[in-house]
């Protein structure tokens, strides 16, 4: 790696998509996180005739370029990304590129920190496919494709589960037979860890304190949603479990449910394991309750008097309140609650409803502050509130880039 290698390419490879950002970490170190972004884009519908690539040269302030047409596989997708970057003078062959950082969803218990990818690491990520069948295979494809494009460059895996590996066994273990659980790696791993790490740290900064000095409840509310209890910068509990299905009500996922529901559906409704899996992961949550998983549409329907949408919203909020109460008990003392991700950052009614009635826990929202729309971290609680309530936009790509760059420049 050359002395002026300060750029990191972040790749988030899905089953039929690749999201990417190119960041200059020298600028990020100066506190200019916006200026650090040189380019960003998305390749979607890979393997289809209607594939689409949207690329934005952020450093040049240029408009988004879109191309459509068949992109056969991830190798072709990353080649197209490389061509777009090269057209802006940001090619993957640049000596300024220090590393490629990959989002990997599941790292199990082995990977507790960002890790340089070698054959052994890749083999372990493959071994974890049974506990992340929808995510790890796509992550592996992205890694192998990037390795083929730049075999000389450090490739770093940043794991969604890593931040949650600090949970004590009392929080991480399910109350089932220990031998069975250990034999099949059944435990609570948690997800969205990169976001929870970033947001908890930024919340501490917003309060003018070090992460080690504060206890934060982070609510990552998007189509997927999760909560975490973070004590002194370390996760001590989180709502997602063996898979991303457990916990909060989500866009299409049920969240917490009596496990016997699955047996009941098999015995009484004759549903197969795959059908139940699809029901709970893709046809439940807000979508299953009211037919919509877009919070903006649900709020519009509520304003028009739609009772089904109102009930879905109430169920969603009820679950949020339960976790706020539970994690207050887990932490003992809460310094801040931070809302983040698409719903958490943009849906003021969700934030207001989640905290309403929790004054005895020290939580309150100022209506005027809550109504402000901004892409900056901000407090929305009144001065008298014992617990700060904040909106902190997440930045998983920047967090992945920071962890990647720190690792490859450590020696």
């Amino acid at each position: 790696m050359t002395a002026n290698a300060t750029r990191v390419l972040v790749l988030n490879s899905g089953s039929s998509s690749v999201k990417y950002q190119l960041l200059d970490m020298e600028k990020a170190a100066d506190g200019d996180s916006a200026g650090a972004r040189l380019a960003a884009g998305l390749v979607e519908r890979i393997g289809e005739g209607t594939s689409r690539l949207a690329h934005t040269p952020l450093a040049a302030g240029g408009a988004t370029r879109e191309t459509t047409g068949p992109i056969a596989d991830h190798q072709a997708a990353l080649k197209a990304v490389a061509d777009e970057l090269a057209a802006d003078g940001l090619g993957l062959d640049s000596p300024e590129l220090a590393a490629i950082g990959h989002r990997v969803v599941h790292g199990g218990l082995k990977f507790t920190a960002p890790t340089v990818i070698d054959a052994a690491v890749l083999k372990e990520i493959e071994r974890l496919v049974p506990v992340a069948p929808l995510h790890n295979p796509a992550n592996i494809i992205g890694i192998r494709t990037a390795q083929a494009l730049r075999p000389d460059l450090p490739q770093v895996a940043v794991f969604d589960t890593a931040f949650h590996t600090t949970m004590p066994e009392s929080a991480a273990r399910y109350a089932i037979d220990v031998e069975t659980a250990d034999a099949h790696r059944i435990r609570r791993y948690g997800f969205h860890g990169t976001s929870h790490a970033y947001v908890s740290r930024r919340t501490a900064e917003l309060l003018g304190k070090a992460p080690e000095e504060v206890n934060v409840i982070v609510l990552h509310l998007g189509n997927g949603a999760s909560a975490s209890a973070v004590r002194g910068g370390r996760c001590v509990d989180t709502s997602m479990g063996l898979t991303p299905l457990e916990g909060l009500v989500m866009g299409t996922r049920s969240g917490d449910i009596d496990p016997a529901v699955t047996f009941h559906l098999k015995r009484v409704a004759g549903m197969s394991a795959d059908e139940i899996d699809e029901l709970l992961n893709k046809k439940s949550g807000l979508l299953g309750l009211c037919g919509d998983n877009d919070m903006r549409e649900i709020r519009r329907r509520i304003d028009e008097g739609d009772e089904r949408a109102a009930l879905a919203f109430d169920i969603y909020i009820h679950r949020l309140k339960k976790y706020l109460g539970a994690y207050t008990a887990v932490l003992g003392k809460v310094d801040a609650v931070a809302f983040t991700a698409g719903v958490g950052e943009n849906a003021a009614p969700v934030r207001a409803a989640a905290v309403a009635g929790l004054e005895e826990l020290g939580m309150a929202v100022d209506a005027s502050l809550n109504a402000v729309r901004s892409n900056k971290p901000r407090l929305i609680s009144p001065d008298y509130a014992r617990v700060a309530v904040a909106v902190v936009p997440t930045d998983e790509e920047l967090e992945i880039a920071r962890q990647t760059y720190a690792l490859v420049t450590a020696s």
Side-chain angles (χ1 to χ4, degrees):
M1 189 173 69
T2 61
N4 64 339
T6 60
R7 297 175 182 172
V8 174
L9 177 65
V10 175
L11 294 178
N12 182 353
S13 299
S15 58
S16 62
S17 67
V18 175
K19 296 179 184 177
Y20 63 93
Q21 284 195 20
L22 180 66
L23 300 99
D24 188 324
M25 302 316 296
E26 189 172 47
K27 293 181 178 178
D30 293 335
D32 182 14
S33 59
R37 289 177 176 76
L38 305 178
L42 167 67
V43 187
E44 58 185 349
R45 299 191 292 271
I46 296 171
E48 302 177 20
T50 56
S51 303
R52 170 180 170 271
L53 191 160
H55 173 85
T56 305
L58 297 167
T64 299
R65 302 192 296 264
E66 290 195 24
T67 57
T68 57
I71 296 178
D73 51 30
H74 282 70
Q75 184 173 356
L78 280 189
K79 177 62 169 61
V81 170
D83 290 344
E84 290 290 345
L85 291 169
D88 299 321
L90 303 169
L92 296 189
D93 58 350
S94 169
E96 295 180 70
L97 188 60
I100 298 177
H102 297 266
R103 178 197 180 216
V104 178
V105 168
H106 215 307
L109 293 180
K110 186 177 181 67
F111 299 112
T112 62
T115 305
V116 174
I117 301 167
D118 57 19
V121 170
L122 198 54
K123 185 175 181 180
E124 182 65 17
I125 295 172
E126 289 178 325
R127 193 178 74 85
L128 290 164
V129 165
V131 289
L134 300 178
H135 299 95
N136 274 30
N139 301 155
I140 291 165
I141 291 171
I143 291 168
R144 285 179 170 155
T145 303
Q147 286 176 327
L149 282 174
R150 282 298 305 268
D152 58 313
L153 204 64
Q155 312 269 337
V156 174
V158 177
F159 299 91
D160 269 13
T161 50
F163 184 63
H164 304 305
T165 58
T166 56
M167 283 193 295
E169 286 292 276
S170 56
R173 279 201 175 268
Y174 291 110
I176 66 172
D177 173 67
V178 172
E179 285 74 21
T180 300
D182 289 349
H184 300 285
R185 301 191 297 276
I186 298 171
R187 61 185 290 119
R188 303 184 62 251
Y189 293 99
F191 300 89
H192 295 147
T194 306
S195 176
H196 286 280
Y198 177 85
V199 171
S200 59
R201 188 178 66 249
R202 291 289 285 137
T203 302
E205 292 172 3
L206 185 63
L207 299 179
K209 298 182 178 181
E212 295 78 13
E213 299 175 320
V214 298
N215 292 349
V216 183
I217 298 173
V218 178
L219 299 175
H220 176 108
L221 308 180
N223 193 50
S226 61
S228 67
V230 182
R231 177 184 293 127
R234 293 166 61 86
C235 177
V236 295
D237 206 347
T238 192
S239 59
M240 287 180 168
L242 174 71
T243 76
L245 179 59
E246 188 181 357
L248 303 176
V249 175
M250 305 177 222
T252 65
R253 298 178 192 141
S254 66
D256 293 338
I257 193 169
D258 182 346
V261 169
T262 59
F263 315 144
H264 181 78
L265 289 172
K266 180 176 176 60
R267 292 167 181 156
V268 176
M271 295 177 69
S272 67
D274 287 343
E275 288 172 330
I276 297 170
D277 188 303
E278 184 175 13
L279 170 70
L280 297 181
N281 278 290
K282 298 181 180 180
K283 297 180 179 179
S284 296
L286 292 171
L287 181 68
L289 289 167
C290 72
D292 273 309
N293 63 326
D294 187 321
M295 186 59 72
R296 294 164 297 187
E297 181 63 16
I298 291 171
R299 290 302 309 176
R300 183 194 65 76
R301 287 172 55 185
I302 292 171
D303 291 342
E304 293 178 353
D306 189 314
E307 293 182 1
R308 189 174 169 191
L311 177 59
F313 183 81
D314 289 347
I315 293 170
Y316 182 93
I317 296 299
H318 180 76
R319 191 75 57 84
L320 278 177
K321 285 182 183 289
K322 285 178 69 174
Y323 272 90
L324 281 171
Y327 286 174
T328 296
V330 167
L331 292 170
K333 174 180 176 292
V334 179
D335 296 291
V337 172
F339 289 87
T340 194
V343 174
E345 294 169 27
N346 297 297
V350 169
R351 298 191 296 261
V355 174
L358 301 183
E359 290 81 7
E360 289 295 321
L361 297 182
M363 302 174 193
V365 163
D366 180 284
S368 59
L369 293 175
N370 190 35
V372 173
R373 295 185 67 87
S374 172
N375 60 0
K376 303 292 185 183
R378 59 198 186 278
L379 294 176
I380 60 171
S381 48
D383 292 339
Y384 64 79
R386 192 168 69 250
V387 176
V389 180
V391 181
V392 180
T394 192
D395 197 331
E396 293 173 271
E397 290 79 12
L398 178 59
E399 182 69 14
I400 291 170
R402 280 177 169 163
Q403 292 189 29
T404 297
Y405 190 66
L407 180 61
V408 300
T409 57
S411 56

